[in-house]
Amino acid sequence: MNSCNEEEVPMRLHSAVEYLLHSHSDQLRSIILSPDPKLHYPLFVDYAELMDADPPLARLVFANPTDYLRFFDQAAILAHKRVLKDMVSHEKGVEKKFIHVRFNVCGSPLEFPETFPTIGRVRVKHRGILLTLKGTVIRSGAVKMYEGQRTYQCKKCKHMFPLYPELETRNSITLPSICPSQRSNPCEGTKFLCIENTTVCHDYQEIKIQESTQVLGVGVIPRSILVILQDDLVDIVKAGDDVIITGILTAKWSPDLKDVRCDLGPILIANHVRKTNEMKLEIDIPDDVAMKFKQFWLDFRDTPLKGRNTILRGICPQVFGLFTVKLAVALTLIGGVQHVDASGTKIRGESHLLLVGDPGTGKSQFLKFAAKLSNRSVITTGLGSTSAGLTVTAVKDGGEWMLEAGALVLADGGLCCIDEFDSMREHDRATIHEAMEQQTISVAKAGLVTTLSTRTIVFGATNPKGHYDPDQPLSVNTALSGPLLSRFDIVLVLLDTKNPEWDAVVSSHILGEGEYGNGKQDEDLANIWSLSSLRGYIGYVKKHFKPVLTKEAERVISNYYQLQRRSATHNAARTTVRMLESLIRLAQAHARLMFRNEVTRLDAIAAILCIESSMTISAIIDSIGNALHSNFTENPDEEYAKQEKLILENLSLIDESPESNGLEGFN
């Protein structure tokens, strides 16, 4: 890209100053009132507004950002001096040395694919223009300092001029061949003197962003690119953050390594960074779709559980039956409500689910379908897809230690599906406990000490170690420790036991799928919710419903908790407090699933049935059976009435004492 014409610089600089004074005087005044004159201050400008106010100047910023971003920084300094001069005497303003104009391209034409490509489609044609890229931060380096400007003087004519380092030449400064002064009689001097105390240094940080796997097709490798953050932009993002970065694409020489060819790699020098973490779970639901959801529940107001089962049939419809698993998947994806008590302690709202089963029981099918239902998801195995594994690790890149985020950090705010859960790396086993319960990962590796967020739903699947022995505890059958298993709200064991009746039903279903023109089959498919409808419904209920426990639901959960405490062995008693929290989360999730803002007795009993289906808890109510053989009933509301009566009879063994229910502070 050619350098700008020297004659038009004063005119364009004047235009930039006038624009900033007219449209951003409030920001300039705020910067002036800040006390520290040595800090680097950002001045945010919407590119769309600049296009409306001064289209030629906006086009120059896009076509030649290397020069015109510097001009805007100079214009910001000049504009702030004029504002400072016009301020009244009682306002104590301080002149600033460094102001950087940051262009936000949101809502402008620069969001079109040509100037907003995916990272994998970045090419040479994008070099030298104002480019915007979207991705997830997978590595973040330490903050360094580098020399960003040096002033020289011609020995012959005494002309002073600034020089800037070039990334292509490893941040070295190249002196001009002759004096760059624009005089009528050029001096053509060739000797220059560096003026002391004119060096300007900048904070500097390298991060690496990777394109989201959600927008990639099967078999496409996600690409990544290095990004340089400077001055006020350093340390505003960390590994796992979703970002949209606007900057200048340039190239950088790779480090000198023995027997390795040295080449140029693409790098983005950031001008503006926008974090989009708060948008991770946001799904826009049109009003007409929301009305369909409301009408659906009006149609099933007399038989609510039949309506619930209609929704559940849409979860992994290619797998026959498995009602208990589909209910558990739905409750896990919807989750409960996060609670923060008076001391600031957080009780997570996300639920975790583990499927333990024989090969061929559909575990991986549920993992993949759950990933499609989530707006943000990562699928991996226990060994992890990178050296970072599931949590985080320190890697050395170009002689510098950087943090690389693992699957749990990259899935922050979404869903992490982990197949072969028992094959985790050793360092993952040590840190996943904190990641699942406290929803953070504390890192102290290679001198890098930080805390990363992992507000993630964990959906794991694993095979039993050898032949499953029902007489042995789950920790023995899976080679997973008891404390790790206690982090899961629901653990379902799918055993492929011999059951002639079930085998006949399943074989008829599979063989019937291949028959075309089957009227009943077509009718069943028409009643199944589509994937997009399920995604929209889950997003809608998570956003609009914050269920609160009713007194009736509190009593049911409290009595069940006390019954478990009495029957549990001394070693198992530690985990029942977590079980109480799991019951509340599952009851809240069921209330959301039922389109309600309060947790009723029905929701509490549904949560108890899910907990009872877990083999990690001693089954007090022995009416569940094998989760693999659970099927949808014709009249679920009548079936529930029988289960409710059985459960309430079991819970009536305890004296009800509201003052000791143990649920204080959860509402």
Side-chain angles (χ1 to χ4, degrees):
M1 197 67 65
N2 295 328
S3 180
C4 57
N5 187 347
E6 293 288 343
E7 295 180 356
E8 69 179 14
V9 169
M11 181 180 65
R12 296 302 181 192
L13 193 60
H14 175 74
S15 299
V17 171
E18 292 301 321
Y19 169 75
L20 294 177
L21 286 172
H22 180 266
S23 303
H24 299 280
S25 58
D26 291 341
Q27 283 194 65
L28 290 168
R29 186 178 295 273
S30 176
I31 292 171
I32 290 170
L33 295 176
S34 300
D36 195 337
K38 295 182 180 179
L39 288 180
H40 292 256
Y41 292 90
L43 194 155
F44 298 100
V45 174
D46 285 333
Y47 188 81
E49 293 181 3
L50 178 62
M51 285 197 70
D52 292 337
D54 193 338
L57 185 59
R59 283 195 293 270
L60 288 169
V61 171
F62 163 71
N64 190 4
T66 305
D67 291 322
Y68 277 90
L69 289 180
R70 286 202 193 109
F71 291 159
F72 259 96
D73 289 353
Q74 295 172 17
I77 295 293
L78 295 175
H80 111 281
K81 287 180 179 179
R82 284 175 56 176
V83 173
L84 180 62
K85 186 178 178 180
D86 296 339
M87 288 178 68
V88 294
S89 58
H90 68 271
E91 292 181 302
K92 295 182 179 179
V94 181
E95 184 175 329
K96 304 300 186 297
K97 293 183 178 180
F98 308 105
I99 302 176
H100 304 284
V101 176
R102 305 298 183 191
F103 283 97
N104 181 11
V105 302
C106 180
S108 74
L110 296 192
E111 285 195 315
F112 286 101
E114 186 64 25
T115 56
F116 197 166
T118 60
I119 296 174
R121 293 186 176 274
V122 172
R123 299 293 183 265
V124 174
K125 67 179 181 179
H126 296 117
R127 185 170 182 262
I129 64 172
L130 196 63
L131 186 70
T132 303
L133 298 177
K134 181 179 181 180
T136 303
V137 181
I138 58 172
R139 288 188 187 179
S140 59
V143 177
K144 300 178 181 179
M145 184 175 67
Y146 88 106
E147 186 179 8
Q149 179 182 331
R150 192 186 295 175
T151 303
Y152 284 83
Q153 186 181 55
C154 176
K155 288 185 176 181
K156 186 176 180 180
C157 68
K158 306 304 180 184
H159 171 67
M160 298 173 63
F161 56 93
L163 289 179
Y164 305 95
E166 297 179 359
L167 278 171
E168 291 89 339
T169 57
R170 302 185 190 278
N171 282 348
S172 64
I173 292 178
T174 304
L175 294 175
S177 56
I178 60 172
C179 178
S181 63
Q182 300 292 323
R183 296 183 179 182
S184 56
N185 296 320
C187 76
E188 297 184 352
T190 58
K191 293 185 179 180
F192 310 101
L193 177 68
C194 180
I195 301 175
E196 294 183 1
N197 301 323
T198 60
T199 299
V200 178
C201 292
H202 300 271
D203 291 324
Y204 170 97
Q205 183 186 24
E206 285 189 11
I207 65 172
K208 182 179 281 190
I209 63 172
Q210 176 182 284
E211 57 188 332
S212 173
T213 55
Q214 298 294 104
V215 298
L216 299 178
V218 177
V220 180
I221 300 173
R223 303 298 179 182
S224 58
I225 189 172
L226 279 175
V227 179
I228 291 179
L229 306 179
Q230 298 174 351
D231 301 320
D232 55 289
L233 298 180
V234 300
D235 261 357
I236 65 172
V237 297
K238 59 182 182 296
D241 285 340
D242 278 356
V243 292
I244 297 176
I245 300 179
T246 302
I248 307 170
L249 183 69
T250 182
K252 180 183 179 183
W253 285 104
S254 59
D256 289 328
L257 298 174
K258 187 179 180 181
D259 299 330
V260 176
R261 187 181 67 181
C262 195
D263 55 7
L264 282 167
I267 192 167
L268 188 72
I269 303 176
N271 170 262
H272 182 270
V273 177
R274 180 158 58 107
K275 291 172 66 174
T276 59
N277 292 3
E278 67 279 0
M279 298 161 56
K280 288 177 183 177
L281 295 179
E282 292 293 329
I283 300 177
D284 292 329
I285 307 296
D287 292 339
D288 59 329
V289 176
M291 286 303 299
K292 287 181 181 178
F293 294 153
K294 294 175 183 178
Q295 185 60 46
F296 173 84
W297 284 106
L298 286 175
D299 295 340
F300 284 98
R301 59 180 176 271
D302 295 329
T303 53
L305 292 181
K306 192 171 184 179
R308 179 201 67 181
N309 287 7
T310 302
I311 298 174
L312 295 182
R313 288 178 190 273
I315 296 178
C316 212
Q318 68 271 25
V319 177
F320 178 74
L322 273 71
F323 162 76
T324 305
V325 182
K326 293 182 179 182
L327 176 60
V329 170
L331 298 185
T332 302
L333 291 176
I334 292 173
V337 181
Q338 185 188 59
H339 173 72
V340 183
D341 63 15
S343 64
T345 304
K346 294 181 180 179
I347 300 175
R348 61 181 168 91
E350 289 78 12
S351 302
H352 304 311
L353 169 64
L354 178 66
L355 298 182
V356 181
D358 294 328
T361 51
K363 302 185 299 297
S364 298
Q365 294 283 348
F366 281 105
L367 283 178
K368 292 180 179 178
F369 195 86
K372 294 177 184 177
L373 285 176
S374 178
N375 197 35
R376 175 182 172 91
S377 62
V378 175
I379 302 181
T380 183
T381 62
L383 288 173
S385 55
T386 65
S387 60
L390 293 176
T391 52
V392 69
T393 191
V395 294
K396 204 167 189 179
D397 187 5
E400 177 191 353
W401 285 101
M402 304 178 75
L403 286 180
E404 181 173 294
L408 289 171
V409 179
L410 295 178
D412 180 36
L415 170 70
C416 185
C417 298
I418 308 171
D419 210 348
E420 307 297 338
F421 191 81
D422 57 340
S423 61
M424 285 185 295
R425 300 171 188 266
E426 287 301 320
H427 73 272
D428 287 335
R429 286 179 182 268
T431 54
I432 197 172
H433 295 79
E434 179 193 359
M436 292 179 66
E437 193 63 38
Q438 279 75 43
Q439 296 190 312
T440 57
I441 293 179
S442 301
V443 185
K445 297 182 179 182
L448 303 173
V449 181
T450 186
T451 300
L452 301 177
S453 178
T454 58
R455 296 161 299 177
T456 309
I457 300 169
V458 176
F459 185 0
T462 183
N463 294 323
K465 187 179 67 174
H467 180 69
Y468 190 91
D469 186 356
D471 297 328
Q472 294 292 332
L474 195 57
S475 57
V476 175
N477 280 295
T478 59
L480 296 174
S481 64
L484 180 55
L485 288 171
S486 70
R487 261 73 175 177
F488 287 97
D489 296 80
I490 307 175
V491 181
L492 295 179
V493 179
L494 308 176
L495 299 179
D496 193 11
T497 55
K498 295 179 180 179
N499 186 328
E501 294 180 2
W502 178 257
D503 294 341
V505 172
V506 171
S507 60
S508 299
H509 172 76
I510 295 174
L511 292 172
E513 285 184 342
E515 297 178 4
Y516 294 99
N518 188 332
K520 187 176 185 304
Q521 189 87 8
D522 295 339
E523 184 181 346
D524 291 342
L525 289 173
N527 294 328
I528 290 178
W529 278 38
S530 65
L531 178 64
S532 59
S533 297
L534 285 171
R535 277 173 58 94
Y537 185 78
I538 291 173
Y540 184 86
V541 297
K542 290 179 74 171
K543 182 178 180 180
H544 290 87
F545 293 101
K546 308 291 180 186
V548 178
L549 270 71
T550 60
K551 292 296 182 182
E552 197 173 30
E554 280 187 10
R555 262 197 312 274
V556 172
I557 293 175
S558 172
N559 285 6
Y560 178 74
Y561 168 66
Q562 293 178 57
L563 185 60
Q564 282 283 12
R565 290 284 288 179
R566 284 191 175 185
S567 62
T569 62
H570 177 70
N571 292 332
R574 298 183 310 165
T575 64
T576 52
V577 175
R578 284 208 181 101
M579 184 202 69
L580 175 61
E581 295 175 358
S582 298
L583 276 169
I584 296 171
R585 277 191 292 270
L586 294 173
Q588 290 173 333
H590 194 271
R592 280 175 161 176
L593 177 62
M594 302 294 289
F595 220 67
R596 285 199 302 264
N597 240 333
E598 63 176 18
V599 180
T600 64
R601 184 168 66 183
L602 182 150
D603 303 314
I605 291 176
I608 290 173
L609 292 174
C610 283
I611 291 289
E612 284 292 314
S613 301
S614 172
M615 297 295 285
T616 59
I617 306 296
S618 56
I620 298 172
I621 304 165
D622 190 17
S623 62
I624 306 301
N626 189 354
L628 181 66
H629 297 164
S630 59
N631 201 356
F632 290 86
T633 58
E634 291 292 333
N635 298 302
D637 294 274
E638 294 180 7
E639 185 69 23
Y640 164 76
K642 299 176 184 176
Q643 292 174 332
E644 180 187 54
K645 182 180 179 182
L646 177 64
I647 289 175
L648 293 180
E649 286 177 357
N650 279 274
L651 298 184
S652 64
L653 297 173
I654 297 179
D655 294 328
E656 296 182 0
S657 49
E659 67 276 2
S660 63
N661 59 18
L663 297 176
E664 294 84 356
F666 279 97
N667 289 325

